[in-house]
PDB file of all heavy atoms in Angstrom:
ATOM      1  N   ASN A 137       0.720  -3.111  13.215  1.00 98.00           N
ATOM      2  CA  ASN A 137       1.201  -3.872  14.383  1.00 98.00           C
ATOM      3  C   ASN A 137       0.189  -3.875  15.526  1.00 98.00           C
ATOM      4  O   ASN A 137       0.464  -4.381  16.614  1.00 98.00           O
ATOM      5  CB  ASN A 137       2.563  -3.335  14.855  1.00 98.00           C
ATOM      6  CG  ASN A 137       2.546  -1.826  15.044  1.00 98.00           C
ATOM      7  OD1 ASN A 137       1.487  -1.234  15.221  1.00 98.00           O
ATOM      8  ND2 ASN A 137       3.715  -1.208  15.004  1.00 98.00           N
ATOM      9  N   GLY A 138      -0.975  -3.270  15.305  1.00 98.00           N
ATOM     10  CA  GLY A 138      -2.038  -3.294  16.322  1.00 98.00           C
ATOM     11  C   GLY A 138      -1.815  -2.334  17.475  1.00 98.00           C
ATOM     12  O   GLY A 138      -2.626  -2.282  18.407  1.00 98.00           O
ATOM     13  N   VAL A 139      -0.708  -1.578  17.435  1.00 98.00           N
ATOM     14  CA  VAL A 139      -0.427  -0.632  18.523  1.00 98.00           C
ATOM     15  C   VAL A 139       0.132   0.687  17.973  1.00 98.00           C
ATOM     16  O   VAL A 139       0.549   0.748  16.827  1.00 98.00           O
ATOM     17  CB  VAL A 139       0.613  -1.192  19.536  1.00 98.00           C
ATOM     18  CG1 VAL A 139       0.025  -2.274  20.405  1.00 98.00           C
ATOM     19  CG2 VAL A 139       1.882  -1.664  18.830  1.00 98.00           C
ATOM     20  N   PHE A 147      -3.090   0.270  22.436  1.00 98.00           N
ATOM     21  CA  PHE A 147      -3.849  -0.408  21.377  1.00 98.00           C
ATOM     22  C   PHE A 147      -4.299   0.583  20.309  1.00 98.00           C
ATOM     23  O   PHE A 147      -4.728   1.692  20.615  1.00 98.00           O
ATOM     24  CB  PHE A 147      -5.133  -1.039  21.953  1.00 98.00           C
ATOM     25  CG  PHE A 147      -4.895  -2.347  22.656  1.00 98.00           C
ATOM     26  CD1 PHE A 147      -5.381  -2.540  23.939  1.00 98.00           C
ATOM     27  CD2 PHE A 147      -4.227  -3.392  22.027  1.00 98.00           C
ATOM     28  CE1 PHE A 147      -5.199  -3.753  24.586  1.00 98.00           C
ATOM     29  CE2 PHE A 147      -4.038  -4.597  22.661  1.00 98.00           C
ATOM     30  CZ  PHE A 147      -4.512  -4.778  23.954  1.00 98.00           C
ATOM     31  N   SER A 148      -4.253   0.131  19.056  1.00 98.00           N
ATOM     32  CA  SER A 148      -4.834   0.937  17.977  1.00 98.00           C
ATOM     33  C   SER A 148      -6.186   0.328  17.612  1.00 98.00           C
ATOM     34  O   SER A 148      -6.588  -0.700  18.172  1.00 98.00           O
ATOM     35  CB  SER A 148      -3.922   0.919  16.748  1.00 98.00           C
ATOM     36  OG  SER A 148      -4.096  -0.310  16.051  1.00 98.00           O
ATOM     37  N   THR A 150      -6.955  -1.362  15.068  1.00 98.00           N
ATOM     38  CA  THR A 150      -6.927  -2.655  14.365  1.00 98.00           C
ATOM     39  C   THR A 150      -6.604  -3.796  15.335  1.00 98.00           C
ATOM     40  O   THR A 150      -6.497  -4.951  14.922  1.00 98.00           O
ATOM     41  CB  THR A 150      -5.887  -2.690  13.209  1.00 98.00           C
ATOM     42  OG1 THR A 150      -4.565  -2.626  13.767  1.00 98.00           O
ATOM     43  CG2 THR A 150      -6.087  -1.561  12.221  1.00 98.00           C
ATOM     44  N   ALA A 151      -6.419  -3.466  16.610  1.00 98.00           N
ATOM     45  CA  ALA A 151      -6.109  -4.516  17.592  1.00 98.00           C
ATOM     46  C   ALA A 151      -7.307  -5.455  17.721  1.00 98.00           C
ATOM     47  O   ALA A 151      -8.457  -5.007  17.754  1.00 98.00           O
ATOM     48  CB  ALA A 151      -5.788  -3.875  18.941  1.00 98.00           C
ATOM     49  N   ASP A 152      -7.029  -6.743  17.785  1.00 96.00           N
ATOM     50  CA  ASP A 152      -8.122  -7.720  17.861  1.00 96.00           C
ATOM     51  C   ASP A 152      -8.752  -7.760  19.248  1.00 96.00           C
ATOM     52  O   ASP A 152      -8.082  -7.526  20.262  1.00 96.00           O
ATOM     53  CB  ASP A 152      -7.581  -9.109  17.505  1.00 96.00           C
ATOM     54  CG  ASP A 152      -7.191  -9.198  16.047  1.00 96.00           C
ATOM     55  OD1 ASP A 152      -8.060  -8.933  15.194  1.00 96.00           O
ATOM     56  OD2 ASP A 152      -6.012  -9.494  15.756  1.00 96.00           O
ATOM     57  N   LEU A 153     -10.026  -8.091  19.238  1.00 96.00           N
ATOM     58  CA  LEU A 153     -10.769  -8.268  20.488  1.00 96.00           C
ATOM     59  C   LEU A 153     -10.069  -9.360  21.307  1.00 96.00           C
ATOM     60  O   LEU A 153      -9.753 -10.425  20.771  1.00 96.00           O
ATOM     61  CB  LEU A 153     -12.184  -8.731  20.108  1.00 96.00           C
ATOM     62  CG  LEU A 153     -13.273  -8.703  21.150  1.00 96.00           C
ATOM     63  CD1 LEU A 153     -13.539  -7.277  21.619  1.00 96.00           C
ATOM     64  CD2 LEU A 153     -14.552  -9.297  20.565  1.00 96.00           C
ATOM     65  N   GLY A 154      -9.776  -9.073  22.562  1.00 96.00           N
ATOM     66  CA  GLY A 154      -9.159 -10.091  23.422  1.00 96.00           C
ATOM     67  C   GLY A 154      -7.637 -10.107  23.373  1.00 96.00           C
ATOM     68  O   GLY A 154      -7.004 -10.833  24.136  1.00 96.00           O
ATOM     69  N   SER A 155      -7.044  -9.302  22.480  1.00 96.00           N
ATOM     70  CA  SER A 155      -5.579  -9.249  22.422  1.00 96.00           C
ATOM     71  C   SER A 155      -5.067  -8.597  23.711  1.00 96.00           C
ATOM     72  O   SER A 155      -5.718  -7.714  24.273  1.00 96.00           O
ATOM     73  CB  SER A 155      -5.152  -8.439  21.199  1.00 96.00           C
ATOM     74  OG  SER A 155      -3.763  -8.531  21.028  1.00 96.00           O
ATOM     75  N   LYS A 156      -3.887  -9.055  24.156  1.00 96.00           N
ATOM     76  CA  LYS A 156      -3.398  -8.594  25.452  1.00 96.00           C
ATOM     77  C   LYS A 156      -2.137  -7.738  25.306  1.00 96.00           C
ATOM     78  O   LYS A 156      -1.236  -8.093  24.543  1.00 96.00           O
ATOM     79  CB  LYS A 156      -3.058  -9.836  26.285  1.00 96.00           C
ATOM     80  CG  LYS A 156      -2.978  -9.575  27.775  1.00 96.00           C
ATOM     81  CD  LYS A 156      -2.343 -10.735  28.495  1.00 96.00           C
ATOM     82  CE  LYS A 156      -3.360 -11.781  28.927  1.00 96.00           C
ATOM     83  NZ  LYS A 156      -2.723 -12.861  29.721  1.00 96.00           N
ATOM     84  N   LEU A 157      -2.076  -6.612  26.047  1.00 95.00           N
ATOM     85  CA  LEU A 157      -0.840  -5.804  26.070  1.00 95.00           C
ATOM     86  C   LEU A 157       0.131  -6.451  27.053  1.00 95.00           C
ATOM     87  O   LEU A 157      -0.270  -7.243  27.900  1.00 95.00           O
ATOM     88  CB  LEU A 157      -1.141  -4.379  26.558  1.00 95.00           C
ATOM     89  CG  LEU A 157      -1.816  -3.391  25.603  1.00 95.00           C
ATOM     90  CD1 LEU A 157      -1.930  -2.022  26.275  1.00 95.00           C
ATOM     91  CD2 LEU A 157      -1.027  -3.259  24.301  1.00 95.00           C
ATOM     92  N   LYS A 158       1.392  -6.053  26.966  1.00 90.00           N
ATOM     93  CA  LYS A 158       2.407  -6.575  27.889  1.00 90.00           C
ATOM     94  C   LYS A 158       2.029  -6.335  29.350  1.00 90.00           C
ATOM     95  O   LYS A 158       2.321  -7.112  30.231  1.00 90.00           O
ATOM     96  CB  LYS A 158       3.729  -5.849  27.630  1.00 90.00           C
ATOM     97  CG  LYS A 158       4.650  -6.574  26.720  1.00 90.00           C
ATOM     98  CD  LYS A 158       5.935  -5.792  26.712  1.00 90.00           C
ATOM     99  CE  LYS A 158       6.971  -6.451  25.867  1.00 90.00           C
ATOM    100  NZ  LYS A 158       8.121  -5.583  25.670  1.00 90.00           N
ATOM    101  N   GLY A 160      -0.794  -6.515  30.553  1.00 94.00           N
ATOM    102  CA  GLY A 160      -1.924  -7.366  30.948  1.00 94.00           C
ATOM    103  C   GLY A 160      -3.272  -6.792  30.535  1.00 94.00           C
ATOM    104  O   GLY A 160      -4.300  -7.455  30.646  1.00 94.00           O
ATOM    105  N   VAL A 161      -3.284  -5.533  30.057  1.00 95.00           N
ATOM    106  CA  VAL A 161      -4.551  -4.913  29.630  1.00 95.00           C
ATOM    107  C   VAL A 161      -5.101  -5.674  28.421  1.00 95.00           C
ATOM    108  O   VAL A 161      -4.364  -5.992  27.495  1.00 95.00           O
ATOM    109  CB  VAL A 161      -4.329  -3.428  29.252  1.00 95.00           C
ATOM    110  CG1 VAL A 161      -5.600  -2.800  28.699  1.00 95.00           C
ATOM    111  CG2 VAL A 161      -3.827  -2.648  30.447  1.00 95.00           C
ATOM    112  N   ILE A 162      -6.421  -5.983  28.462  1.00 97.00           N
ATOM    113  CA  ILE A 162      -7.051  -6.718  27.360  1.00 97.00           C
ATOM    114  C   ILE A 162      -7.850  -5.751  26.493  1.00 97.00           C
ATOM    115  O   ILE A 162      -8.549  -4.878  27.023  1.00 97.00           O
ATOM    116  CB  ILE A 162      -8.012  -7.801  27.915  1.00 97.00           C
ATOM    117  CG1 ILE A 162      -7.299  -8.669  28.940  1.00 97.00           C
ATOM    118  CG2 ILE A 162      -8.703  -8.589  26.798  1.00 97.00           C
ATOM    119  CD1 ILE A 162      -6.911 -10.037  28.547  1.00 97.00           C
ATOM    120  N   ASN A 163      -7.770  -5.924  25.198  1.00 97.00           N
ATOM    121  CA  ASN A 163      -8.542  -5.060  24.293  1.00 97.00           C
ATOM    122  C   ASN A 163      -9.994  -5.539  24.247  1.00 97.00           C
ATOM    123  O   ASN A 163     -10.265  -6.680  23.853  1.00 97.00           O
ATOM    124  CB  ASN A 163      -7.932  -5.092  22.887  1.00 97.00           C
ATOM    125  CG  ASN A 163      -8.678  -4.181  21.933  1.00 97.00           C
ATOM    126  OD1 ASN A 163      -9.108  -3.114  22.320  1.00 97.00           O
ATOM    127  ND2 ASN A 163      -8.848  -4.621  20.710  1.00 97.00           N
ATOM    128  N   ASP A 164     -10.924  -4.675  24.622  1.00 96.00           N
ATOM    129  CA  ASP A 164     -12.322  -5.114  24.647  1.00 96.00           C
ATOM    130  C   ASP A 164     -13.170  -4.460  23.564  1.00 96.00           C
ATOM    131  O   ASP A 164     -14.393  -4.457  23.632  1.00 96.00           O
ATOM    132  CB  ASP A 164     -12.941  -4.919  26.046  1.00 96.00           C
ATOM    133  CG  ASP A 164     -12.705  -3.522  26.575  1.00 96.00           C
ATOM    134  OD1 ASP A 164     -12.287  -2.653  25.774  1.00 96.00           O
ATOM    135  OD2 ASP A 164     -12.925  -3.296  27.771  1.00 96.00           O
ATOM    136  N   LEU A 165     -12.502  -3.907  22.539  1.00 96.00           N
ATOM    137  CA  LEU A 165     -13.251  -3.330  21.407  1.00 96.00           C
ATOM    138  C   LEU A 165     -12.966  -4.156  20.147  1.00 96.00           C
ATOM    139  O   LEU A 165     -11.848  -4.625  19.955  1.00 96.00           O
ATOM    140  CB  LEU A 165     -12.807  -1.885  21.162  1.00 96.00           C
ATOM    141  CG  LEU A 165     -13.261  -0.860  22.197  1.00 96.00           C
ATOM    142  CD1 LEU A 165     -12.588   0.476  21.931  1.00 96.00           C
ATOM    143  CD2 LEU A 165     -14.776  -0.710  22.171  1.00 96.00           C
ATOM    144  N   PRO A 167     -11.991  -4.965  16.246  1.00 97.00           N
ATOM    145  CA  PRO A 167     -11.081  -4.261  15.334  1.00 97.00           C
ATOM    146  C   PRO A 167     -11.786  -3.702  14.112  1.00 97.00           C
ATOM    147  O   PRO A 167     -12.830  -4.208  13.699  1.00 97.00           O
ATOM    148  CB  PRO A 167     -10.111  -5.370  14.899  1.00 97.00           C
ATOM    149  CG  PRO A 167     -10.920  -6.619  14.981  1.00 97.00           C
ATOM    150  CD  PRO A 167     -11.898  -6.429  16.111  1.00 97.00           C
ATOM    151  N   PHE A 218       6.790  -3.575  21.683  1.00 97.00           N
ATOM    152  CA  PHE A 218       5.567  -3.441  22.489  1.00 97.00           C
ATOM    153  C   PHE A 218       4.471  -4.460  22.193  1.00 97.00           C
ATOM    154  O   PHE A 218       3.468  -4.494  22.899  1.00 97.00           O
ATOM    155  CB  PHE A 218       4.978  -2.028  22.306  1.00 97.00           C
ATOM    156  CG  PHE A 218       5.878  -0.952  22.812  1.00 97.00           C
ATOM    157  CD1 PHE A 218       6.508  -0.080  21.943  1.00 97.00           C
ATOM    158  CD2 PHE A 218       6.132  -0.820  24.176  1.00 97.00           C
ATOM    159  CE1 PHE A 218       7.354   0.910  22.400  1.00 97.00           C
ATOM    160  CE2 PHE A 218       6.983   0.164  24.651  1.00 97.00           C
ATOM    161  CZ  PHE A 218       7.605   1.032  23.763  1.00 97.00           C
ATOM    162  N   ASN A 219       4.599  -5.271  21.131  1.00 97.00           N
ATOM    163  CA  ASN A 219       3.443  -6.141  20.840  1.00 97.00           C
ATOM    164  C   ASN A 219       3.852  -7.465  20.185  1.00 97.00           C
ATOM    165  O   ASN A 219       3.264  -7.875  19.195  1.00 97.00           O
ATOM    166  CB  ASN A 219       2.447  -5.383  19.930  1.00 97.00           C
ATOM    167  CG  ASN A 219       1.036  -5.922  20.061  1.00 97.00           C
ATOM    168  OD1 ASN A 219       0.712  -6.656  20.999  1.00 97.00           O
ATOM    169  ND2 ASN A 219       0.189  -5.572  19.106  1.00 97.00           N
ATOM    170  N   HIS A 221       4.473 -10.392  22.215  1.00 97.00           N
ATOM    171  CA  HIS A 221       4.505 -11.325  23.345  1.00 97.00           C
ATOM    172  C   HIS A 221       3.350 -12.326  23.252  1.00 97.00           C
ATOM    173  O   HIS A 221       2.445 -12.191  22.416  1.00 97.00           O
ATOM    174  CB  HIS A 221       4.389 -10.522  24.647  1.00 97.00           C
ATOM    175  CG  HIS A 221       3.270  -9.523  24.568  1.00 97.00           C
ATOM    176  ND1 HIS A 221       3.462  -8.230  24.093  1.00 97.00           N
ATOM    177  CD2 HIS A 221       1.943  -9.642  24.818  1.00 97.00           C
ATOM    178  CE1 HIS A 221       2.301  -7.602  24.085  1.00 97.00           C
ATOM    179  NE2 HIS A 221       1.358  -8.444  24.516  1.00 97.00           N
ATOM    180  N   GLU A 222       3.337 -13.273  24.128  1.00 96.00           N
ATOM    181  CA  GLU A 222       2.248 -14.241  24.281  1.00 96.00           C
ATOM    182  C   GLU A 222       0.953 -13.463  24.591  1.00 96.00           C
ATOM    183  O   GLU A 222       0.957 -12.576  25.435  1.00 96.00           O
ATOM    184  CB  GLU A 222       2.631 -15.149  25.482  1.00 96.00           C
ATOM    185  CG  GLU A 222       1.636 -16.227  25.833  1.00 96.00           C
ATOM    186  CD  GLU A 222       1.798 -17.442  24.936  1.00 96.00           C
ATOM    187  OE1 GLU A 222       2.950 -17.781  24.585  1.00 96.00           O
ATOM    188  OE2 GLU A 222       0.758 -18.031  24.580  1.00 96.00           O
ATOM    189  N   GLY A 223      -0.126 -13.768  23.879  1.00 97.00           N
ATOM    190  CA  GLY A 223      -1.388 -13.061  24.136  1.00 97.00           C
ATOM    191  C   GLY A 223      -1.657 -11.967  23.110  1.00 97.00           C
ATOM    192  O   GLY A 223      -2.782 -11.488  22.989  1.00 97.00           O
ATOM    193  N   SER A 224      -0.604 -11.565  22.346  1.00 97.00           N
ATOM    194  CA  SER A 224      -0.803 -10.567  21.282  1.00 97.00           C
ATOM    195  C   SER A 224      -1.212 -11.300  20.005  1.00 97.00           C
ATOM    196  O   SER A 224      -0.671 -12.355  19.690  1.00 97.00           O
ATOM    197  CB  SER A 224       0.512  -9.808  21.036  1.00 97.00           C
ATOM    198  OG  SER A 224       0.513  -9.282  19.716  1.00 97.00           O
ATOM    199  N   THR A 225      -2.157 -10.729  19.269  1.00 97.00           N
ATOM    200  CA  THR A 225      -2.557 -11.356  17.996  1.00 97.00           C
ATOM    201  C   THR A 225      -1.850 -10.708  16.802  1.00 97.00           C
ATOM    202  O   THR A 225      -2.198 -10.971  15.657  1.00 97.00           O
ATOM    203  CB  THR A 225      -4.087 -11.280  17.794  1.00 97.00           C
ATOM    204  OG1 THR A 225      -4.441  -9.902  17.774  1.00 97.00           O
ATOM    205  CG2 THR A 225      -4.852 -12.006  18.876  1.00 97.00           C
ATOM    206  N   LYS A 226      -0.853  -9.835  17.085  1.00 97.00           N
ATOM    207  CA  LYS A 226      -0.079  -9.252  15.977  1.00 97.00           C
ATOM    208  C   LYS A 226       1.404  -9.587  16.164  1.00 97.00           C
ATOM    209  O   LYS A 226       2.273  -8.869  15.683  1.00 97.00           O
ATOM    210  CB  LYS A 226      -0.266  -7.726  15.938  1.00 97.00           C
ATOM    211  CG  LYS A 226      -1.687  -7.263  15.622  1.00 97.00           C
ATOM    212  CD  LYS A 226      -1.940  -7.175  14.131  1.00 97.00           C
ATOM    213  CE  LYS A 226      -3.160  -6.352  13.789  1.00 97.00           C
ATOM    214  NZ  LYS A 226      -4.425  -7.070  13.893  1.00 97.00           N
ATOM    215  N   SER A 227       1.698 -10.675  16.885  1.00 98.00           N
ATOM    216  CA  SER A 227       3.094 -11.076  17.091  1.00 98.00           C
ATOM    217  C   SER A 227       3.563 -11.904  15.901  1.00 98.00           C
ATOM    218  O   SER A 227       2.755 -12.373  15.088  1.00 98.00           O
ATOM    219  CB  SER A 227       3.210 -11.914  18.369  1.00 98.00           C
ATOM    220  OG  SER A 227       2.460 -13.111  18.191  1.00 98.00           O
ATOM    221  N   PHE A 230       2.054 -15.547  16.463  1.00 97.00           N
ATOM    222  CA  PHE A 230       0.610 -15.672  16.203  1.00 97.00           C
ATOM    223  C   PHE A 230       0.336 -15.571  14.694  1.00 97.00           C
ATOM    224  O   PHE A 230      -0.426 -16.331  14.133  1.00 97.00           O
ATOM    225  CB  PHE A 230      -0.163 -14.582  16.960  1.00 97.00           C
ATOM    226  CG  PHE A 230      -1.658 -14.751  16.841  1.00 97.00           C
ATOM    227  CD1 PHE A 230      -2.371 -15.450  17.816  1.00 97.00           C
ATOM    228  CD2 PHE A 230      -2.357 -14.246  15.740  1.00 97.00           C
ATOM    229  CE1 PHE A 230      -3.751 -15.636  17.697  1.00 97.00           C
ATOM    230  CE2 PHE A 230      -3.728 -14.433  15.612  1.00 97.00           C
ATOM    231  CZ  PHE A 230      -4.426 -15.128  16.598  1.00 97.00           C
TER     232      PHE A 230
END
Side-chain angles (χ1 to χ4, degrees):
N137 51 22
V139 287
F147 281 129
S148 78
T150 68
D152 292 303
L153 194 63
S155 188
K156 199 193 271 184
L157 284 184
K158 264 186 178 170
V161 175
I162 308 254
N163 182 38
D164 50 13
L165 288 172
F218 296 111
N219 204 15
H221 48 270
E222 180 82 37
S224 156
T225 60
K226 295 274 197 278
S227 64
F230 186 94

